[in-house]
Amino acid sequence: MAKDLVRTRRYVQKFYQMRTQLQAVGLRIQTLRSNQQMADAMRGATRAMASMNRGLNLPAIQRIMNEFEKESATMDMKEEMMSDAVDGVMEDDMEDEEEEGDKILQQVLEEIGIDVSQKLGEAPTALHAAATPIANKKQAVALGGDDLPSTSGGDNGGVTTAEEEALQERLNRLRGP
């Protein structure tokens, strides 16, 4: 009985080995079939490409491309001429509209009593602003607090030198030693 049991276990083990080997053979056959199908597909693609190459007439295609290029250039020139003509007509209308708009604006400003030329003469120029460089000024920045000195007066942004020094001193105290 023990011998039969040992023999049966060996047979089971051999059957497992044979099953594994059969699966491996099946996978190899499947791989070979896939390779054969790929080779057939490549053969078909090669035939199709060869057929296309035989049917391809390069001089005719080149002639067609040259004609297309000529016609495209002609169309571009015509489009540019039309665009210039339309722009010329529209510019005249735009200039008339701008002049008319300026006249209406001037009339409205005169009605409310504002003389634009006088106000423009009083406006500061960029040269005056550039005469006082900002980079040389110290700027104190403090966080919080409502007891800041008044910023009215003075000609350097509304803060006098004494106020700047007070702000700087306060900032230094806040930063600590």
Side-chain angles (χ1 to χ4, degrees):
M1 177 94 130
K3 287 182 182 181
D4 288 337
L5 181 64
V6 171
R7 195 176 314 134
T8 306
R9 285 187 180 165
R10 279 190 207 152
Y11 288 142
V12 168
Q13 192 175 18
K14 286 183 182 183
F15 281 128
Y16 281 137
Q17 287 175 348
M18 284 193 299
R19 187 178 86 182
T20 304
Q21 289 174 353
L22 286 174
Q23 285 177 342
V25 169
L27 288 174
R28 286 182 184 157
I29 291 172
Q30 186 178 4
T31 303
L32 290 173
R33 283 183 186 162
S34 296
N35 287 341
Q36 180 63 36
Q37 288 175 348
M38 186 179 294
D40 291 341
M42 290 176 69
R43 187 176 313 126
T46 304
R47 287 178 186 155
M49 288 172 58
S51 172
M52 289 296 293
N53 284 336
R54 279 190 302 262
L56 196 62
N57 188 356
L58 239 73
I61 292 175
Q62 190 174 13
R63 189 172 49 252
I64 292 170
M65 292 303 291
N66 286 337
E67 283 181 41
F68 176 79
E69 186 177 355
K70 287 177 189 177
E71 293 300 322
S72 179
T74 303
M75 187 175 73
D76 286 344
M77 288 190 309
K78 288 179 181 178
E79 181 182 355
E80 188 175 330
M81 288 172 51
M82 289 298 295
S83 178
D84 289 345
V86 170
D87 287 346
V89 170
M90 297 302 279
E91 283 181 10
D92 293 341
D93 291 343
M94 292 297 289
E95 288 176 4
D96 292 343
E97 288 178 12
E98 285 181 27
E99 290 175 7
E100 193 173 316
D102 289 343
K103 286 179 185 177
I104 292 172
L105 179 65
Q106 187 64 31
Q107 288 174 357
V108 169
L109 291 176
E110 286 175 2
E111 286 177 10
I112 60 174
I114 296 177
D115 185 12
V116 177
S117 61
Q118 179 185 3
K119 295 292 182 188
L120 289 177
E122 295 173 4
T125 63
L127 294 176
H128 178 68
T132 57
I134 296 174
N136 294 338
K137 293 182 181 180
K138 289 183 181 178
Q139 176 112 13
V141 177
L143 299 175
D146 294 337
D147 56 342
L148 292 174
S150 172
T151 59
S152 61
D155 63 337
N156 57 353
V159 180
T160 63
T161 306
E163 290 173 336
E164 282 182 0
E165 291 175 3
L167 284 172
Q168 186 64 42
E169 184 177 321
R170 183 174 174 208
L171 179 62
N172 291 338
R173 278 185 283 153
L174 287 172
R175 287 184 180 161

